[in-house]
Amino acid sequence: MAHAPSRAGRVVVLFVSLTVALGVLLILSVGLGQMGITPAEVLGSILNRLGLGVLPGPAHPNAESALWAVRMPRLLLAAMVGAALATGGVLMQGVFGNPLAEPGVIGVSSGAAVGACTVIVLGVNTLGTWTAVVAAFIGGLITTAVAYSTARQEGRTEVVTLVLTGVAVNAVAGAIIAFLTFLGDTSAREEIVFWQLGSLNGTRWEHVLVAAPVIVLGVAAAGLFARRLDLLALGERPARHLGVDVERLRIVVIVGVAVLTSAAVAFCGVIAFVGLVVPHLIRMLVGPGHAVLLPASALGGAVLLLAADLAARTVVPYADLPIGMLTALVGGPFFFYLIRRTRRGAGGWS
């Protein structure tokens, strides 16, 4: 009788598969568009940039500009945003101790959108390119604090209260954004609509250079919490006995998630459910250990958002669909499934 593959074997297969999928998606996506560029030409262009003239570059005279000025920054930002949102989802689920926590579900993304939309309407540009990021961070941190303090009762976080608080926070944030839309001029309204739908259209290298250090450092730093999150999964009391400062851990992680989320959505708007779908799929494959779950989810988030962006650019000819709409179409039904599964497993919520 054939034996099931060991967990270590599944982990290796998963990381190799995700890495290959990420590379293949990047090469294919960067070549697809109104100006088609073959994978061989894409590889040739990349190698030429690295000083290795092994393969010929694109034949079309404008192909290099399309690759490096338009498509490459968009795809790199998509990969980073997906990694940030998926990592944020893992951290939220770990510190809240329930499978329904996710930056978008409890209102972090909508709070970040309120912060960014506020500076858009008011015309604030004090910090230059960083203004929207800082405003999004403040908005996301405020909504996270509201959701956490409301759901926290008698030393534990109630699942139902957390989800209901997220519904309320998202509703209030939506109302504020609607009011800002009413106040703004035509240009501001177009930017706000972009924020609500979520899109990577118009991404520039400047955006990538601003978001990259925050996201890369945030995703890397998340690994430092892996052991403490594993201990917290045993319960708050056992975690405290094992030396974990639970409240401090929660506060630090919440701030980190707000930073990751604000950097992720500052240039592409609200993209929901990535942090809910990816961690659960990875957890089903390799288990709940955060040392593997965090980096695997980051890779999975990057793959998912690259795939979603590819679909957004190619499903409808000569149109660029909102990427947030596509992730919601996939994530929404998955969220319903997760709620039903959680209720069955818990025998109903109290």
Side-chain angles (χ1 to χ4, degrees), residues 307-331:
D309 182 66
L310 179 60
R313 294 189 293 116
T314 58
V315 168
V316 178
Y318 306 105
D320 196 334
L321 298 177
I323 193 169
M325 177 187 70
L326 293 179
T327 58
L329 286 174
V330 174

Side-chain angles (χ1 to χ4, degrees), residues 270-331:
V270 177
I271 299 177
F273 293 110
V274 175
L276 183 73
V277 174
V278 174
H280 281 282
L281 294 178
I282 300 298
R283 195 178 285 110
M284 289 167 61
L285 294 173
V286 294
H290 286 86
V292 173
L293 184 59
L294 281 164
S297 293
L299 273 174
V303 170
L304 176 62
L305 213 58
L306 275 177
D309 182 66
L310 179 60
R313 294 189 293 116
T314 58
V315 168
V316 178
Y318 306 105
D320 196 334
L321 298 177
I323 193 169
M325 177 187 70
L326 293 179
T327 58
L329 286 174
V330 174

Side-chain angles (χ1 to χ4, degrees), residues 108-120 124-143 195 207 210-211 214 255 257-267:
V108 182
S109 297
S110 58
V114 168
C117 291
T118 300
V119 300
I120 289 171
V124 178
N125 196 32
T126 308
L127 302 176
T129 308
W130 285 89
T131 305
V133 178
V134 173
F137 165 67
I138 294 172
L141 188 59
I142 290 172
T143 52
W195 262 88
H207 301 158
V210 170
V214 180
V255 173
V257 170
V259 172
L260 274 175
T261 304
S262 63
V265 305
F267 300 113

Side-chain angles (χ1 to χ4, degrees), residues 28-49:
L28 290 178
S29 297
V30 79
L32 291 176
Q34 295 186 24
M35 179 188 297
I37 304 171
T38 66
E41 290 176 328
V42 171
L43 285 173
S45 178
I46 294 174
L47 292 175
N48 288 337
R49 293 271 172 159

Side-chain angles (χ1 to χ4, degrees), residues 20-348:
V20 170
L22 185 63
V24 170
L25 270 173
L26 186 62
I27 297 298
L28 290 178
S29 297
V30 79
L32 291 176
Q34 295 186 24
M35 179 188 297
I37 304 171
T38 66
E41 290 176 328
V42 171
L43 285 173
S45 178
I46 294 174
L47 292 175
N48 288 337
R49 293 271 172 159
L50 297 175
L52 304 172
V54 179
L55 295 173
H60 197 284
N62 296 325
E64 287 284 340
S65 177
L67 277 177
W68 295 100
V70 179
R71 297 178 187 174
M72 193 63 77
R74 172 175 178 150
L75 295 176
L76 290 178
L77 186 63
M80 289 191 296
V81 168
L85 294 176
T87 301
V90 174
L91 292 174
M92 294 292 281
Q93 290 164 19
V95 297
F96 282 123
N98 71 74
L100 301 178
E102 188 260 350
V105 171
I106 68 169
V108 182
S109 297
S110 58
V114 168
C117 291
T118 300
V119 300
I120 289 171
V121 171
L122 297 179
V124 178
N125 196 32
T126 308
L127 302 176
T129 308
W130 285 89
T131 305
V133 178
V134 173
F137 165 67
I138 294 172
L141 188 59
I142 290 172
T143 52
T144 306
V146 170
Y148 174 70
S149 60
T150 304
R152 187 78 175 166
Q153 185 177 7
E154 297 179 357
R156 64 194 186 97
T157 305
E158 296 287 345
V159 177
V160 175
T161 307
L162 181 65
V163 174
L164 293 178
T165 302
V167 171
V169 167
N170 283 315
V172 172
I176 295 173
I177 292 173
F179 179 66
L180 292 171
T181 305
F182 175 77
L183 293 179
D185 56 20
T186 301
S187 175
R189 288 173 183 171
E190 290 178 355
E191 289 191 59
I192 290 174
V193 170
F194 153 81
W195 262 88
Q196 290 177 298
L197 295 177
S199 175
L200 291 158
N201 193 24
T203 300
R204 303 191 303 272
W205 280 111
E206 180 184 8
H207 301 158
V208 176
L209 294 176
V210 170
V214 180
I215 293 176
V216 171
L217 289 176
V219 171
L224 300 176
F225 302 105
R227 179 178 176 275
R228 279 170 284 179
L229 290 174
D230 286 341
L231 294 176
L232 186 57
L234 301 174
E236 291 190 20
R237 185 172 297 176
R240 287 194 182 96
H241 285 307
L242 292 170
V244 178
D245 188 336
V246 175
E247 290 307 314
R248 182 180 179 184
L249 175 63
R250 281 203 169 103
I251 291 171
V252 172
V253 169
I254 285 170
V255 173
V257 170
V259 172
L260 274 175
T261 304
S262 63
V265 305
F267 300 113
C268 61
V270 177
I271 299 177
F273 293 110
V274 175
L276 183 73
V277 174
V278 174
H280 281 282
L281 294 178
I282 300 298
R283 195 178 285 110
M284 289 167 61
L285 294 173
V286 294
H290 286 86
V292 173
L293 184 59
L294 281 164
S297 293
L299 273 174
V303 170
L304 176 62
L305 213 58
L306 275 177
D309 182 66
L310 179 60
R313 294 189 293 116
T314 58
V315 168
V316 178
Y318 306 105
D320 196 334
L321 298 177
I323 193 169
M325 177 187 70
L326 293 179
T327 58
L329 286 174
V330 174
F334 185 85
F335 186 54
F336 288 134
Y337 158 76
L338 186 60
I339 290 175
R340 290 183 61 84
R341 180 183 176 188
T342 304
R343 290 201 65 178
R344 288 197 303 267

